[in-house]
Amino acid sequence: MSEVYAARRERLRERCTAGGSATALVTRPANVRYLAGAAPRGAVLLLGRGEDLLLCAGPPADEAGAGRPDEALRVQALSGPGGDPAVAAADVATAQGADSLAVEEHHLTVTRHRAIGSVAPRLRLSDLGAAVEQLRVIKDEEEISCLRVGAEIADQALGELLESILVGRTERHLALELERRLVDHGADGPAFATSVGTGPNSGRCGHRPTDRRVEEGDFLSVCLGATYRGYRCEVGRTFVIGTSPADWQIALYDLVFAAQRAGREALVPGVAYRDVDRAARQVLDSAGYAEALPTLTGHGVGLEIDEDPQLAPAAMGKLDACVPVTVEPGVHLPGRGGVRIDDTLVVRPEADGGPELLTITTKELLAL
Amino acid sequence: MSEVYAARRERLRERCTAGGSATALVTRPANVRYLAGAAPRGAVLLLGRGEDLLLCAGPPADEAGAGRPDEALRVQALSGPGGDPAVAAADVATAQGADSLAVEEHHLTVTRHRAIGSVAPRLRLSDLGAAVEQLRVIKDEEEISCLRVGAEIADQALGELLESILVGRTERHLALELERRLVDHGADGPAFATSVGTGPNSGRCGHRPTDRRVEEGDFLSVCLGATYRGYRCEVGRTFVIGTSPADWQIALYDLVFAAQRAGREALVPGVAYRDVDRAARQVLDSAGYAEALPTLTGHGVGLEIDEDPQLAPAAMGKLDACVPVTVEPGVHLPGRGGVRIDDTLVVRPEADGGPELLTITTKELLAL
């Protein structure tokens, strides 16, 4: 694996040199992990002149799924308490003879930025911007296989829940149960706070579980994901509780399903982000639900659950092959509830069979 | 409750006016919640000239334990997606005729700070510093009663775990089980990632659970806490697995217990933070464990799990009455494990009976 991390750092170094600063300081944890193989708490990566350095606040902990720092990388732990590895890194950069340092201004606080400036007054601080985030968009097959395992785990956890008795249990209990099952099946942990919505709460994007209990006739929507070796996937489904769905439930479900399928089918290399969004959105729009829609149809996933690209009306850019994204349209009707269907897929060329569906739980409307 | 929040904002306003900026922007979520009663995702509080305003990224969600915004406060949700409420707040401040704005430089990123500067070029941006964090140190009785309920919940969850079979179960499963029990007993959720350490992992501060299974003869150390109405407490205990502890285990336990008691007994109004730390630390130091000690003996708790004050060797300041703190010394011996004992207490005058212990789980060395 070591060559992978070294190659990633080399690509970033090329971008930095082209941008005028040969030395860069990476502080955002997911970016540190991408380039160094691990991001112990507080760790920062100095992409130096000659040697790269991972600076940690203390000795790296042996945490489930946390990864190991690239062996080709020098790792240094601060000795005293309370020190900021970012400030120490600026000191090292000066000692290495750097005259400028590109930092992640979208991650560093004003206070930390100023502390770096004080300790290294001769360094010209510039903005690295989202350079690392951009490198992270297209995944290699190793990364995709981590997502694939995570998706299998999430599918398993969801499948087992469906076999249990649901009526009378609270949203919070169902969410905790799902998270326990994720870990049972080998996840590092949940990829994000598991969302379970019943009745009027169903279909709400990012709904945080409450003490409402599942009742007969409810829609039940569930959104969960597993983290596996740091990679985060997402699956969301909506079910009906009881013997048979009401007509409005069937109609709403069919509509969201059609929108989600349209979004999935739009995933081809070269398509504009906004066109994937439009494909799903126009199905819902034309049925009169323009007001009830979330602001986006999907987003990239990887070391974070919400990465570039955004599949949204105003997004700029085009999809590449090997970009994993969610497609997750939904409709929520205030007071009644709604439907949300969410898959993680990898964009693939049509010659390779088109988009690869990672989350394979059925999308039929199940009555539980 | 509304008067409580208004009074807090008034105290902050007085500090700001004394500091030269009548208008302030609070962005750190715990600070927003302290002053506004709730902190919906992304919400910021503008302490304006005349009127205060809570600006949210979207409509506030109905989340367990999230609180409700103070009714005396005007709440405004941004309409479009992707907007930054902090930037919108700077716009409002300008419209209100402000000429300066104090911001939380230890929380705002460089990018957001710059965006605020661009939208409101005539506002002089200054640093609010830790003004709100300082207001939060001394708690009122309402806040303390939330901590008290949270501590009861954590004690209950821990007590139930001790009655179950432990040998053969993994650290991760025990941690998940504890978190489920916290929610069962009415917590909003865990106050922090529950730590369970067995055998060589026991006694490590902030240990993240692994797949190691509990074995006969192990030390088992557990640290957990409940969040109740936003307030976070902490309790940590160490047990021995099996019929009877080894001599080294008994000796180490007695030592840490003596250190923890010395720390608890040092909690009186007016004592220096560092003297509480020293009281606990010197017990361990004199037994030859100077190298094995964590960097602090305890810390404040409240809307965050790690607040001011820090009970550490270099900390400046003195304890006041009604300040809740942890006392949590420990010793970890690499390869063997260790002991950690952690309570949440409220500093009280001796006339009122001295420090109030919130976490009442026994500190006898139990063999489970």
Side-chain angles (χ1 to χ4, degrees):
Chain A
M1 275 303 285
S2 190
E3 318 79 64
V4 172
Y5 300 116
R8 291 174 183 172
R9 293 196 298 274
E10 200 46 45
R11 290 181 62 200
L12 180 61
R13 198 186 314 274
E14 283 161 17
R15 290 209 182 193
C16 288
T17 308
S21 180
T23 307
L25 175 62
V26 179
T27 51
R28 187 172 177 172
N31 291 346
V32 173
R33 180 159 187 173
Y34 181 74
L35 298 167
R41 187 184 302 218
V44 306
L45 177 71
L46 179 69
L47 207 72
R49 288 159 68 98
E51 192 185 35
D52 298 338
L53 177 65
L54 183 68
L55 270 143
C56 310
D62 189 19
E63 192 178 321
R68 293 244 158 231
D70 175 10
E71 286 170 14
L73 199 57
R74 190 155 70 88
V75 180
Q76 187 180 315
L78 297 194
S79 51
D84 181 347
V87 172
D91 227 7
V92 173
T94 305
Q96 287 183 350
D99 55 2
S100 69
L101 182 66
V103 301
E104 299 192 291
E105 293 189 349
H106 60 300
H107 178 259
L108 277 183
T109 65
V110 175
T111 302
R112 291 181 83 192
H113 191 265
R114 185 171 301 136
I116 291 170
S118 317
V119 79
R122 276 183 292 182
L123 276 184
R124 187 172 45 79
L125 298 183
S126 61
D127 187 9
L128 184 57
V132 187
E133 284 85 348
Q134 284 160 18
L135 291 179
R136 285 167 47 199
V137 169
I138 298 178
K139 270 71 176 177
D140 64 32
E141 288 303 322
E142 183 71 25
E143 295 180 279
I144 291 171
S145 74
C146 291
L147 286 166
R148 201 179 285 123
V149 174
E152 274 176 29
I153 292 171
D155 278 329
Q156 274 182 297
L158 183 54
E160 289 171 1
L161 187 81
L162 301 186
E163 290 171 11
S164 65
I165 303 288
L166 298 170
V167 172
R169 297 172 72 191
T170 69
E171 294 173 359
R172 289 215 278 179
H173 273 102
L174 294 177
L176 282 164
E177 165 99 11
L178 283 165
E179 295 189 354
R180 187 180 63 74
R181 290 186 186 278
L182 291 173
V183 173
D184 277 350
H185 291 296
D188 309 336
F192 52 92
T194 298
S195 177
V196 175
T198 61
N201 298 332
S202 60
R204 277 174 66 184
C205 175
H207 172 71
R208 303 291 295 265
T210 70
D211 288 325
R212 190 183 183 283
R213 291 176 193 278
V214 177
E215 294 175 13
E216 288 281 332
D218 275 355
F219 264 139
L220 168 69
S221 57
V222 175
C223 187
L224 76 160
T227 307
Y228 184 76
R229 298 192 180 166
Y231 283 82
R232 293 162 195 267
C233 65
E234 188 173 324
V235 58
R237 294 290 185 267
T238 301
F239 311 98
V240 161
I241 304 300
T243 45
S244 60
D247 288 346
W248 74 273
Q249 290 177 317
I250 295 173
L252 191 60
Y253 193 92
D254 287 348
L255 180 72
V256 174
F257 178 80
Q260 205 254 0
R261 185 175 54 198
R264 280 186 281 119
E265 290 174 351
L267 294 177
V268 290
V271 71
Y273 301 150
R274 60 172 61 168
D275 289 341
V276 179
D277 178 74
R278 187 183 303 134
R281 191 173 296 270
Q282 70 188 6
V283 174
L284 303 175
D285 264 357
S286 61
Y289 288 112
E291 291 302 303
L293 304 188
T295 54
L296 50 72
T297 292
H299 54 79
V301 295
L303 288 169
E304 293 174 290
I305 190 58
D306 193 353
E307 296 193 351
D308 291 332
Q310 301 289 302
L311 306 179
M316 301 292 289
K318 291 179 177 181
L319 277 179
D320 283 300
C322 301
V323 175
V325 294
T326 67
V327 177
E328 47 174 313
V331 172
H332 176 257
L333 307 175
R336 297 179 77 188
V339 176
R340 204 172 170 76
I341 304 175
D342 185 351
D343 279 313
T344 301
L345 307 96
V346 181
V347 179
R348 303 281 193 188
E350 278 187 61
D352 293 351
E356 178 187 351
L357 181 68
L358 300 187
T359 46
I360 59 168
T361 297
T362 181
K363 289 186 280 281
E364 275 180 84
L365 176 55
L366 298 182
L368 303 173
Chain B
M1 278 303 286
S2 189
E3 318 79 62
V4 172
Y5 301 115
R8 290 174 183 172
R9 294 196 298 273
E10 201 46 44
R11 290 180 62 201
L12 180 62
R13 198 185 315 272
E14 283 162 17
R15 289 209 183 193
C16 289
T17 307
S21 180
T23 307
L25 175 63
V26 179
T27 51
R28 187 172 176 171
N31 291 345
V32 173
R33 178 158 189 177
Y34 182 74
L35 298 166
R41 186 184 302 219
V44 305
L45 177 70
L46 180 68
L47 207 72
R49 289 158 69 100
E51 193 186 34
D52 298 337
L53 177 64
L54 184 68
L55 271 143
C56 311
D62 190 18
E63 190 179 324
R68 293 242 157 233
D70 176 10
E71 286 170 13
L73 199 57
R74 190 155 68 89
V75 180
Q76 188 180 315
L78 297 194
S79 51
D84 180 347
V87 172
D91 226 7
V92 173
T94 306
Q96 287 183 350
D99 54 3
S100 70
L101 182 66
V103 300
E104 299 192 293
E105 293 188 349
H106 60 298
H107 179 259
L108 277 183
T109 65
V110 176
T111 302
R112 291 181 83 191
H113 192 265
R114 184 170 301 136
I116 291 170
S118 318
V119 77
R122 276 181 293 181
L123 275 184
R124 186 172 46 80
L125 299 183
S126 61
D127 187 10
L128 184 57
V132 188
E133 285 85 349
Q134 284 160 21
L135 291 179
R136 286 166 48 198
V137 169
I138 299 178
K139 270 71 176 176
D140 64 32
E141 288 303 322
E142 183 73 25
E143 295 181 279
I144 291 172
S145 74
C146 292
L147 286 166
R148 202 180 283 121
V149 174
E152 274 176 29
I153 292 171
D155 278 329
Q156 274 182 298
L158 183 54
E160 289 171 2
L161 186 81
L162 301 185
E163 290 172 10
S164 66
I165 303 289
L166 298 171
V167 171
R169 296 172 72 192
T170 69
E171 293 173 359
R172 288 215 280 179
H173 272 102
L174 294 177
L176 283 164
E177 164 99 9
L178 283 165
E179 296 189 353
R180 186 179 64 74
R181 290 185 186 276
L182 290 173
V183 173
D184 276 348
H185 290 297
D188 309 336
F192 53 91
T194 298
S195 176
V196 175
T198 61
N201 298 331
S202 59
R204 277 174 65 185
C205 176
H207 172 71
R208 303 292 295 266
T210 70
D211 288 325
R212 190 184 183 282
R213 291 176 192 277
V214 177
E215 294 174 12
E216 288 281 332
D218 276 355
F219 264 141
L220 168 70
S221 57
V222 175
C223 188
L224 76 159
T227 307
Y228 183 76
R229 298 194 180 164
Y231 284 82
R232 294 162 196 264
C233 64
E234 187 174 323
V235 58
R237 292 290 184 270
T238 300
F239 311 98
V240 162
I241 303 299
T243 45
S244 60
D247 288 348
W248 73 273
Q249 290 177 318
I250 295 173
L252 191 60
Y253 192 91
D254 287 349
L255 181 73
V256 174
F257 178 80
Q260 205 253 359
R261 184 174 57 199
R264 281 187 280 120
E265 290 174 350
L267 294 177
V268 290
V271 71
Y273 301 149
R274 60 172 60 168
D275 289 341
V276 179
D277 178 74
R278 187 184 303 134
R281 189 172 298 270
Q282 69 187 6
V283 174
L284 303 174
D285 264 357
S286 61
Y289 289 113
E291 293 302 303
L293 305 187
T295 54
L296 51 72
T297 293
H299 54 79
V301 296
L303 288 169
E304 293 174 289
I305 191 58
D306 193 355
E307 297 193 350
D308 290 331
Q310 301 288 302
L311 306 178
M316 301 291 289
K318 292 179 175 180
L319 277 179
D320 282 300
C322 302
V323 175
V325 294
T326 67
V327 177
E328 47 173 311
V331 172
H332 176 257
L333 307 176
R336 299 179 75 188
V339 176
R340 205 173 168 77
I341 305 174
D342 184 351
D343 279 314
T344 302
L345 307 97
V346 182
V347 179
R348 302 282 192 187
E350 280 187 58
D352 294 351
E356 178 186 351
L357 181 67
L358 301 187
T359 46
I360 61 168
T361 296
T362 182
K363 288 186 281 279
E364 276 181 85
L365 175 55
L366 298 182
L368 304 172

